[in-house]
Amino acid sequence: MRSHLSPLDQVFLEIEQADDKVQMQLAWAAVFEPTESGEQPSLEKLREQVRRRLVGNAALRRRLSIPQVDSFAVPIWLPDPDFDVGEQVCQATLPAPGNEAQLMDWIGGYIAQRLDRSRPLWEVTLVDGLEDGAWALVGKFHQCMGDGISAAYLVASLIDIEPETEIDMAALAQLTDALGRESERGVLWRVRGAVGEEVSGGIDADLRLPNVASIVSRSRERTEKLAREELPAAAPTSLNGPTGMRRRVLSLETPLAAAKAVKRELGGRVDDVVLAATAGGLRRLFEHRGEEVETVRAAMPVSMRRAKESLVLGNGAAPFFIELPISDPDPLRRYRRIAKTAQARRQGANPMMAELIESTNLNPALVQCIFARLAFTPGLFNLTVASIPTAPIPLYALGCQMRRGIPLGSLFSGHNLGVAAVTYGDKLSFGLAADHDALPDLAVLQLGIEEALSELGMVAA
């Protein structure tokens, strides 16, 4: 079925086209226990599983009609007549000993590569050869690909809620529904599906196609005006500067119970623990660099509702900007300042954003496109921070239990660091993605976040 792209879909493609160093894709990694037999996991078994579970899911079996968006030619979604799971699901093997550093290096190279616009805009790689027999799934999903339901179908094609990999369609539908449910705080924004598709619904289903190009153009003009006239620029730091093509990745874990103890004793949310730990880590990084920094501005997602009309199917998420106090040496004061500011932002205490959302002459789709552009506008913030909840139950793939998840954010030119955190099981896991050359000392930030989490735990004890 032919499907036109929504305005937000087009904005994501346009942002990527404007800078060859941008990858507008959501990336993730999941590490699993060894197989019961001790053998390497079967790529063919995984491909067959994905092939079987994607039957009937048109969104994941389609491609763009043309690779570029411009004023005179807008691509549409077309069924891919050459769709082949074998091209979308691949395999890689780490060299011995397959340790953590080698896995992070491999992931850094993987996320630096753009998805091929001549094919469906998602892919998954099974990575084996990890030490002690572990293995991983590492994937990418373009932000223009479809709505949250499509992303959930991709995850559900790979992941199980029981060790057995055989799953009937009723169980698949249940898992997809659970994975696709909107979270108040767990997404950067809800990626829109195609205009007019029944599975998409929401604001875009009612848009007339001739208006789509106008919305995209108006969003560009309005965003440029906001950035130029109404939004103050963030103070420049060594995190901001030329962005290259290569990426550096690190991860760390902490007990989720410790983060929950902090929010229980000090108030706030786990999101605030993530922000405060990031602030503490950045303090150590800047000290290591001999750089005096008062504050940095982080862009973080928040669910935003309108009084009369929600942006997308009852929820919409947009970036809010929050100042992280770096110079304050007291972890308790830092946490309380961050938690108070974050609470105000979540409640809409941002005059410009509130005015934009409530403006009666702005179509919700236009507001959504403006927020997307603001999230990637150079100079408005110093780094991105995301906090993402996931399933509170054990997850499996090919009969093996998932050990941990590693969330990985996109980078935009001039913004050379992204911090993401995900809750899974009894762990809070951080993924640090950075420009390879701008942050050769990313391990200092990693250690700083670990120390900041420990400090918060001691304060809350």
Side-chain angles (χ1 to χ4, degrees), residues 63-86:
R63 60 172 174 77
L64 297 173
S65 58
I66 54 176
Q68 300 289 313
V69 176
D70 61 41
S71 302
F72 306 102
V74 176
I76 61 174
W77 290 115
L78 292 175
D80 185 355
D82 302 316
F83 178 78
D84 181 1
V85 167

Side-chain angles (χ1 to χ4, degrees), residues 122-150:
W122 64 270
E123 64 180 48
V124 175
T125 299
L126 189 161
V127 183
D128 59 27
L130 279 63
E131 58 187 356
D132 78 5
W135 57 281
L137 293 176
V138 188
K140 293 183 284 195
F141 188 93
H142 201 286
Q143 293 183 210
C144 80
M145 255 293 290
D147 61 16
I149 295 174
S150 297

Side-chain angles (χ1 to χ4, degrees), residues 211-372:
N211 294 335
V212 172
S214 173
I215 289 173
V216 172
S217 176
R218 289 169 61 200
S219 73
R220 188 187 309 113
E221 295 169 359
R222 182 62 66 94
T223 303
E224 290 173 354
K225 185 174 187 295
L226 285 170
R228 184 175 62 252
E229 300 178 5
E230 300 184 41
L231 287 176
T237 73
S238 59
L239 299 178
N240 309 110
T243 302
M245 301 292 291
R246 297 193 298 164
R247 300 291 177 260
R248 190 185 299 272
V249 170
L250 289 176
S251 69
L252 63 113
E253 286 186 317
T254 190
L256 180 58
K260 288 184 175 180
V262 172
K263 74 161 188 171
R264 184 171 59 250
E265 295 299 322
L266 303 181
R269 296 162 53 160
V270 171
D271 293 5
D272 302 326
V273 177
V274 171
L275 284 166
T278 301
L282 289 171
R283 176 178 170 81
R284 181 181 177 92
L285 178 67
F286 290 129
E287 286 178 345
H288 169 75
R289 294 183 170 192
E291 184 176 356
E292 294 185 5
V293 176
E294 288 290 324
T295 64
V296 298
R297 184 180 298 162
M300 192 177 190
V302 63
S303 176
M304 308 192 77
R305 291 178 177 273
R306 301 179 72 185
K308 298 180 180 180
E309 180 182 13
S310 61
L311 288 178
V312 182
L313 298 179
N315 290 278
F320 72 81
F321 301 134
I322 180 169
E323 305 291 334
L324 302 182
I326 304 301
S327 62
D328 191 335
D330 188 317
L332 178 57
R333 284 200 304 265
R334 283 201 309 264
Y335 180 83
R336 286 179 169 165
R337 287 175 61 183
I338 288 169
K340 181 179 179 180
T341 305
Q343 177 65 16
R345 292 290 184 267
R346 294 183 190 106
Q347 293 178 344
N350 183 322
M352 188 284 296
M353 294 296 187
E355 180 181 351
L356 180 60
I357 293 173
E358 296 300 328
S359 178
T360 56
N361 67 338
L362 289 185
N363 182 291
L366 176 58
V367 174
Q368 199 174 50
C369 291
I370 293 171
F371 280 142

Side-chain angles (χ1 to χ4, degrees), residues 32 44-61 83 85 89 122 135 137 149-176 179 395-400:
F32 294 87
E44 289 309 314
K45 187 173 182 180
L46 180 65
R47 283 174 170 171
E48 177 54 34
Q49 175 179 302
V50 173
R51 187 178 293 112
R52 186 173 65 252
R53 294 183 183 182
L54 290 189
V55 170
N57 188 272
L60 295 174
R61 302 168 64 91
F83 178 78
V85 167
V89 181
W122 64 270
W135 57 281
L137 293 176
I149 295 174
S150 297
Y153 259 106
L154 176 58
V155 174
S157 73
L158 302 161
I159 302 296
D160 300 302
I161 55 177
E162 299 289 345
E164 293 295 325
T165 58
E166 293 302 322
I167 184 170
D168 61 27
M169 294 309 293
L172 177 60
Q174 181 182 10
L175 174 60
T176 302
L179 292 169
L395 300 175
Y396 302 84
L398 299 179
C400 303

Side-chain angles (χ1 to χ4, degrees), residues 403-451:
R403 284 181 178 176
R404 61 183 171 125
I406 305 171
L408 300 163
S410 301
L411 299 185
F412 186 60
S413 287
H415 303 140
N416 292 325
L417 174 64
V419 177
V422 64
T423 58
Y424 169 67
D426 61 354
K427 300 290 186 182
L428 173 63
S429 298
F430 286 75
L432 312 178
D435 177 79
H436 186 276
D437 298 323
L439 279 98
D441 49 359
L442 187 62
V444 177
L445 175 64
Q446 179 190 40
L447 178 60
I449 291 175
E450 290 175 341
E451 291 177 341

